[in-house]
Amino acid sequence: MSPSEPPTISEATSGDHKSLDEYADRIRSSTSLDDKIKWRNQLTWALARHAISEELTMYPAMEKHLGEEGLQLTNTDREQHQAVKEDLYKLQSLSPSSSEFSPLLDRLMTDLHEHIKHESEEDMPRLEGKLSREESQALARSFERTKMITPTRSHPSAPNRPYFENFAAMLAAPIDRFKDLLTTFPEKEELPKKHQSML
């Protein structure tokens, strides 16, 4: 991808994955509790939006273009997302000073990497094989736009299928965004450049 060319759906999601790893690393490497909290909040904010946006944009595209195979793949993806959402739900309100925090963060990232491996080895090659570059770029734009309106915290008991999830997300998003106003986050300059433009 050239700097002026829009990303494909594979490039958009893998960019997020790299940022999520960076946020987890920043939690681990921070020396103050306040810094660990703000990076935990950033990880929560980014991962919740990423997961729901995949479910609302990418998974329906896989089901449409890949038929029964796409349905099987997205069922696996939703199961993997559920494990990640449940871990994130616990992590998002747990103090990094708790003895449970580091093992939970490790489990969350292990579950996330299992999902990322499945997505990059199974989902993306099949989906990208059915889409033109322009269609993939349009799906990536939809994925990025959807993140702007999704909840910013994990809600593992919410539905994870289109239409039901859309409705649940629209109810949760304003409450999450209000809570964001009362939450500490890293300064804009501390974030990867990709995410600086999304604030």
Side-chain angles (χ1 to χ4, degrees):
M1 174 181 82
S2 72
S4 60
E5 190 174 11
T8 63
I9 188 62
S10 296
E11 293 162 347
T13 57
S14 70
D16 274 7
H17 297 156
K18 289 175 187 150
S19 294
L20 295 169
D21 278 333
E22 182 176 329
Y23 302 153
D25 289 344
R26 294 295 293 265
I27 294 169
R28 291 180 181 113
S29 66
S30 293
T31 55
S32 77
L33 182 59
D34 288 345
D35 283 347
K36 287 180 181 293
I37 289 170
K38 72 181 182 181
W39 286 107
R40 177 209 59 198
N41 295 342
Q42 183 65 31
L43 176 66
T44 299
W45 181 85
L47 182 51
R49 295 168 65 242
H50 173 87
I52 295 169
S53 189
E54 279 188 347
E55 292 168 2
L56 293 175
T57 59
M58 195 174 84
Y59 295 178
M62 288 172 59
E63 292 167 1
K64 174 183 175 185
H65 293 286
L66 300 173
E68 184 59 36
E69 181 184 32
L71 187 59
Q72 291 172 3
L73 289 168
T74 59
N75 283 340
T76 298
D77 290 322
R78 284 186 175 95
E79 288 173 15
Q80 292 170 342
H81 267 193
Q82 188 63 31
V84 168
K85 287 177 183 180
E86 288 171 7
D87 291 342
L88 186 60
Y89 180 76
K90 294 172 191 164
L91 189 84
Q92 69 193 13
S93 58
L94 187 63
S95 173
S97 64
S98 167
S99 61
E100 299 172 34
F101 187 86
S102 289
L104 182 57
L105 176 61
D106 291 343
R107 186 174 74 216
L108 167 68
M109 296 310 291
T110 297
D111 289 345
L112 180 61
H113 287 137
E114 179 183 324
H115 169 67
I116 290 169
K117 184 174 191 272
H118 177 262
E119 196 174 272
S120 62
E121 293 177 2
E122 303 291 333
D123 298 351
M124 287 305 178
R126 287 174 171 83
L127 180 59
E128 293 283 18
K130 296 286 186 178
L131 301 175
S132 69
R133 182 156 186 87
E134 293 76 21
E135 289 170 323
S136 182
Q137 289 168 332
L139 184 57
R141 283 190 299 276
S142 179
F143 169 76
E144 293 296 343
R145 278 192 309 265
T146 301
K147 286 194 297 186
M148 293 180 198
I149 60 168
T150 61
T152 59
R153 286 173 171 64
S154 182
H155 300 278
S157 60
N160 65 1
R161 301 266 176 196
Y163 307 118
F164 297 111
E165 184 171 30
N166 299 26
F167 181 70
M170 294 307 109
L171 293 175
I175 296 166
D176 285 356
R177 298 210 185 258
F178 177 74
K179 288 178 180 177
D180 289 345
L181 296 173
L182 308 172
T183 302
T184 59
F185 288 95
E187 294 298 322
K188 185 176 178 179
E189 299 76 32
E190 296 176 272
L191 298 172
K193 291 203 183 303
K194 175 184 187 236
H195 284 186
Q196 288 180 11
S197 62
M198 294 179 196
L199 298 178

